[in-house]
Amino acid sequence: MSVINRKRGALIGLAVGDAMGASIEFRAPGAFEPVTTYRAGGPFNLEAGQWTDDTSMALALADSLGQGWDVNDQARRYLSWWQGGKYSVNGVCFDIGGTTLSGLSNFSKTGDATASGSQIGQGNGSIMRLSPVSIRYSSLIASDPARLAALADATSAVTHATAECRYAARVLALILAGLIEGYTREQVLAPQGPVLSSVLSDTDMPPAIAQVAHGSYRNNNPPAIRGTGHVVKSLEASLWAFHDAADFSSAVLKAVNLGEDSDSTGAVTGQLAGAFFGETSIPADWLAGLARKICGTANRCSKCQARRVDRRRRSVRRQSAGSAAVVGHGGGHRPRSRQRVGVRRSRASAGGAVTEVPHEVVGPVDAEAGEAHGLVLAHGQRRRGDTGHGHEDRLLDDDAD
């Protein structure tokens, strides 16, 4: 399997897992019919196949990494999602975690992403969006794993600066990079193996994260395993779903059916399963049903053109309806650090002509100066001038900035 296949799997798998869990988000384990495919509904009344903040933030991060490494730029792109709906599946920010909201609020006041992250919250918001870092810098797993871990730490700290969040990001980034680069599942998960041994020797690692990295997920099952929004439980649940899964779909379904923070558990597990099994392992109907895909022949595709017209009409309706706010969903199923605060805002346009892209591109595609973002799933020929910034392919470069 090619590295490109695994890189694409790590990002597209994130979105698939996110969308798969969106309809049962905040639901208690056993309080819903088991998920087997996309469903409409959920706390934000999404259409089947639509994704949430996990994917929006991953696309923003991917867009930033296409330009190089700059945590302030990462934070500015997150702001453009929160405050303007860019990178959203429907053109509005309808869902943002409390710790993320705190970090971005701090950044909006100071402009310093190195000091903006919450020192209190221990939510999973920085690992749910993480795979673009491992996609972009996967080669560091062999040449400089300490640097890769430090990059994961720094990108977490933009919003989630507690040691638990930062070290969870370190562990996940190393595992993802190892999988992308073709290490076996046993190699990347072994505590004394080539991927985790260095980070586990760090005496600053919080004991709870070390316990997970040492394999607590191998010896537990629900109800001890829970898909909550707490970063320790989220990482453990995702590794539990992934470590012995036979294929992509069984890993993701095992994760989202834990309930509670189902979209984020699905997103983290989708990153792992996608990086290991590859994009080509994702069921075809799941790829076809995933919202906001960009077809490789989008400029000539009648279906894509019809979707653009529909998006414009919906945008006009949203603009006419004005803005509304939804605060504090969760019904007690989510810890305070991960409580959702949904913010709905109107936008002038959510459509626009999309551009053709080559198969090696993974990440957001900017259509009409950033008005329509989606996931690249098909082959095509990109004309660099079409996208407004023409940097998407740099996300997969081997040379780290």
Side-chain angles (χ1 to χ4, degrees):
M1 183 187 303
S2 71
V3 171
I4 292 297
N5 193 345
R6 291 190 289 265
K7 285 186 173 185
R8 290 172 60 84
L11 182 58
I12 296 167
L14 183 161
V16 168
D18 178 9
M20 197 65 62
S23 67
I24 57 166
E25 189 178 5
F26 310 129
R27 300 288 299 277
F32 51 87
E33 282 293 317
V35 171
T36 59
T37 190
Y38 301 130
R39 294 179 185 171
F44 303 105
N45 196 30
L46 298 178
E47 299 172 10
Q50 289 190 322
W51 26 267
T52 72
D53 56 333
D54 308 58
T55 304
S56 294
M57 295 194 78
L59 292 175
L61 177 58
D63 216 1
S64 180
L65 294 179
Q67 298 278 37
W69 183 265
D70 182 349
V71 291
N72 286 329
D73 182 72
Q74 293 171 28
R76 285 191 291 269
R77 293 177 190 272
Y78 298 150
L79 280 183
S80 71
W81 158 68
W82 169 38
Q83 297 177 340
K86 188 175 180 181
Y87 307 105
S88 172
V89 73
N90 58 12
V92 293
C93 175
F94 56 85
D95 184 16
I96 183 169
T99 304
T100 298
L101 182 62
S102 173
L104 296 185
S105 296
N106 291 339
F107 176 78
S108 69
K109 298 170 186 173
T110 67
D112 182 5
T114 65
S116 58
S118 170
Q119 299 288 342
I120 300 174
Q122 294 184 15
N124 58 7
S126 66
I127 62 170
M128 70 184 192
R129 68 187 187 228
L130 187 63
S131 68
V133 174
S134 295
I135 292 168
R136 176 64 181 84
Y137 298 102
S138 64
S139 63
L140 290 177
I141 195 63
S143 62
D144 196 350
R147 185 181 175 203
L148 175 58
L151 293 173
D153 188 297
T155 198
S156 174
V158 172
T159 53
H160 294 66
T162 61
E164 287 78 7
C165 295
R166 292 186 291 105
Y167 275 89
R170 285 172 175 254
V171 168
L172 182 59
L174 292 170
I175 291 173
L176 288 172
L179 294 172
I180 287 169
E181 289 295 315
Y183 290 56
T184 68
R185 183 159 46 180
E186 291 71 23
Q187 286 176 315
V188 300
L189 296 180
Q192 302 306 318
V195 171
L196 291 180
S197 58
S198 60
V199 71
L200 282 171
S201 68
D202 188 335
T203 57
D204 291 329
M205 176 178 280
I209 297 296
Q211 185 177 15
V212 173
H214 274 288
S216 64
Y217 53 88
R218 296 181 185 274
N219 304 313
N220 285 316
N221 283 296
I225 296 292
R226 291 184 62 194
T228 75
H230 189 274
V231 68
V232 177
K233 300 302 291 183
S234 181
L235 181 64
E236 183 181 46
S238 299
L239 289 169
W240 169 80
F242 166 69
H243 83 280
D244 60 355
D247 50 37
F248 178 91
S249 58
S250 60
V252 167
L253 293 178
K254 191 176 180 181
V256 302
N257 280 305
L258 289 170
E260 301 191 272
D261 197 21
S262 50
D263 61 329
S264 295
T265 313
V268 178
T269 304
Q271 294 174 64
L272 291 162
F276 180 59
F277 295 109
E279 178 199 7
T280 52
S281 73
I282 302 174
D285 57 329
W286 291 9
L287 292 177
L290 187 63
R292 299 301 295 274
K293 297 181 304 299
I294 294 184
C295 163
T297 58
N299 287 329
R300 300 186 301 275
C301 176
S302 60
K303 291 183 179 179
C304 289
Q305 291 169 1
R307 282 195 294 267
R308 289 199 297 271
V309 170
D310 182 59
R311 284 198 299 270
R312 290 192 187 101
R313 289 172 177 167
R314 281 183 284 151
S315 178
V316 170
R317 288 197 295 268
R318 284 196 300 270
Q319 188 176 21
S320 300
S323 61
V326 181
V327 180
H329 289 281
H333 299 314
R334 188 184 295 274
R336 182 174 299 175
S337 64
R338 194 70 178 96
Q339 191 77 6
R340 297 285 185 170
V341 181
V343 182
R344 302 189 65 84
R345 301 177 186 274
S346 62
R347 282 174 51 91
S349 174
V354 290
T355 181
E356 298 177 4
V357 292
H359 69 279
E360 56 269 351
V361 173
V362 175
V365 172
D366 201 21
E368 291 190 355
E371 289 184 314
H373 282 76
L375 298 179
V376 178
L377 301 183
H379 297 190
Q381 181 63 44
R382 176 171 54 81
R383 297 183 297 277
R384 187 171 295 272
D386 285 348
T387 65
H389 40 57
H391 61 260
E392 298 89 345
D393 52 342
R394 298 192 60 226
L395 180 61
L396 289 97
D397 290 347
D398 288 331
D399 297 327
D401 298 319

